[in-house]
Amino acid sequence: MAEQNLRITLRERPTGAVSMDHFTLERVPVPALDDGQVLVKTRYLSLDPAMRGWLNDVRSYVPPVGLGEVMRAQGIGEVIESKHAERPVGSLVLANMGWQSHYVAAGAMVQPLEAGDLPPQTYLAALGMPGMTAYFGLLDVGKPEQGQTVLVSGAAGAVGSVVGQIAKLEGCRAVGIAGGPDKCAVVVDELGFDACIDYKNEPSLSKAIRRTCPDGVHVYFDNVGGETLNTALRRMALRGRIVICGAISTYNATTPQPGPSNYMALLVNRARMEGFVVFDYAARFPEARERMAQWIRDGKLISREHVIHGLEHAVDGLNMLFSGGNTGKLILEV
Ligand SMILES: NC(=O)c1ccc[n+]([C@@H]2O[C@H](COP(=O)([O-])OP(=O)(O)OC[C@H]3O[C@@H](n4cnc5c(N)ncnc54)[C@H](OP(=O)(O)O)[C@@H]3O)[C@@H](O)[C@H]2O)c1
């Protein structure tokens, strides 16, 4: 019997939080390969906050996932059948395979993955899109200088955990903001940040930032937006930089969210706030990957991964990003 593909397609666009009701889980036969195509068996899928945005029918940096289409996701898989000379059976590949167990594509659409001595899933984490986001967002947009203070929200997450570690490698003070004592313990004790603010238990985020960043914030790397961004604005140092990486606190909102009322702090502090999209740096990913892989080998950078299992849990996994259920890069093992 032909291989069966277990896949999740978008049935209905969500308003607010996502549930399995918005998707269809189905089994369909895997089609026969044409010349030049490969059949990839999915091993790991990346679960990312951006996925929530891809479900909305709005203009963004990528088109939305269409109704009836397989939910978009980056992943790692193994070629199990090949009609492409340079993608042999048994090779590992990175591809935009989506939420499905089997992916048929032109060989050129899948990128060979030479994981070498590092675990393949690291290429979805510190050496993948989140790591590239941390690297270029911090170094190219935030431009931290030795001795300066870098504050990062979502500090126990995929991007934030790497931002703080790179800040330390650049000779900065790294202060995280994360939800709960366990996450803050990981951020300080395991990842080496200088301090971590538990925003879920601190009575005043503003006072906590003043306490942990006594010289002000030179770079604020913002992963969450909303009130956290508004508060951080008031604590910026002279000529500080705010890196707008994401705003996860607003992604499930059902009404338009207000901008930060404290924006005049940019004027007072001659500061600036700048957004970026990691894909703009794609040409420089190899350079960053090589440097970061060496940091990992040298024990200077930890790629923290949080692996959950089973394609049928993809939606629950996505929701973990919004409830704070993940510590480190959330990966689904299929
Ligand atoms: N600009 C780009 O090119 C780019 C690329 C990749 C990612 N991003 C953005 O980077 C951010 C982080 O992504 P990631 O993949 O590293 O996710 P992540 O940090 O691994 O996971 C999301 C985390 O956000 C926190 N969170 C959720 N709801 C929150 C709320 N209402 N207020 C405060 N914190 C909340 C949770 O941590 P706590 O338990 O600490 O609350 C959760 O664990 C996202 O905003 C994402 O969209 C941007």
Side-chain angles (χ1 to χ4, degrees), residues 47-50 61 129-130 133 153-161 177-180 183 199-200 221-225 228 244-251 275-279 320-330:
L47 293 175
D48 298 286
Y61 60 95
M129 189 272 294
T133 304
S153 53
V159 175
S161 62
I177 303 176
K183 283 196 178 186
Y199 76 93
K200 288 190 174 163
F221 193 105
D222 188 27
N223 284 314
V224 310
T228 310
I244 301 294
C245 177
I248 193 166
S249 71
T250 67
Y251 294 173
F276 77 104
V277 174
V278 64
F279 304 117
M320 282 171 71
L321 297 168
F322 295 93
S323 64
N326 66 306
T327 304
K329 171 63 197 156
L330 189 61

Side-chain angles (χ1 to χ4, degrees), residues 62-307:
V62 286
V65 176
L67 292 175
E69 284 178 11
V70 173
M71 179 59 194
R72 180 185 301 144
Q74 250 246 322
I76 292 173
E78 184 183 336
V79 176
I80 58 169
E81 204 184 315
S82 178
K83 290 194 174 181
H84 189 286
E86 285 158 34
R87 304 284 183 272
V89 169
S91 57
L92 282 185
V93 292
L94 274 164
N96 229 318
M97 54 212 6
W99 283 359
Q100 56 186 342
S101 63
H102 293 73
Y103 175 60
V104 172
M109 295 290 290
V110 306
Q111 190 192 338
L113 172 62
E114 307 287 353
D117 53 339
L118 297 172
Q121 64 272 28
T122 309
Y123 287 80
L124 294 180
L127 299 182
M129 189 272 294
M132 300 300 108
T133 304
Y135 186 93
F136 292 106
L138 180 65
L139 299 181
D140 268 57
V141 186
K143 295 189 171 43
E145 291 170 21
Q146 195 163 12
Q148 293 191 331
T149 297
V150 174
L151 176 70
V152 53
S153 53
V159 175
S161 62
V162 178
V163 169
Q165 294 184 80
I166 297 177
K168 291 299 296 177
L169 287 164
E170 293 291 303
C172 298
R173 279 194 79 236
V175 177
I177 303 176
D182 293 348
K183 283 196 178 186
C184 278
V186 168
V187 166
V188 174
D189 301 338
E190 192 180 311
L191 304 175
F193 287 45
D194 296 281
C196 182
I197 299 166
D198 172 2
Y199 76 93
K200 288 190 174 163
N201 293 297
E202 273 288 345
S204 161
L205 179 61
S206 179
K207 284 184 185 155
I209 298 177
R210 191 161 53 194
R211 188 179 70 236
T212 51
C213 308
D215 301 330
V217 176
H218 299 95
V219 178
Y220 172 49
F221 193 105
D222 188 27
N223 284 314
V224 310
E227 221 12 71
T228 310
L229 168 61
N230 204 31
T231 305
L233 267 161
R234 287 176 45 206
R235 296 282 158 237
M236 295 308 292
L238 201 65
R239 302 203 186 284
R241 285 82 66 199
I242 297 180
V243 182
I244 301 294
C245 177
I248 193 166
S249 71
T250 67
Y251 294 173
N252 277 328
T254 51
T255 53
Q257 297 299 291
S261 57
N262 291 330
Y263 78 95
M264 283 300 278
L266 296 175
L267 182 152
V268 173
N269 295 305
R270 292 79 153 174
R272 77 181 161 81
M273 183 151 98
E274 184 179 342
F276 77 104
V277 174
V278 64
F279 304 117
D280 294 345
Y281 293 91
R284 291 176 56 199
F285 286 178
E287 153 208 331
R289 254 191 207 121
E290 195 177 320
R291 197 165 172 218
M292 292 168 77
Q294 197 53 49
W295 283 339
I296 293 176
R297 288 189 194 98
D298 294 345
K300 294 178 178 167
L301 177 69
I302 294 171
S303 179
R304 203 175 203 283
E305 291 136 25
H306 186 143
V307 181

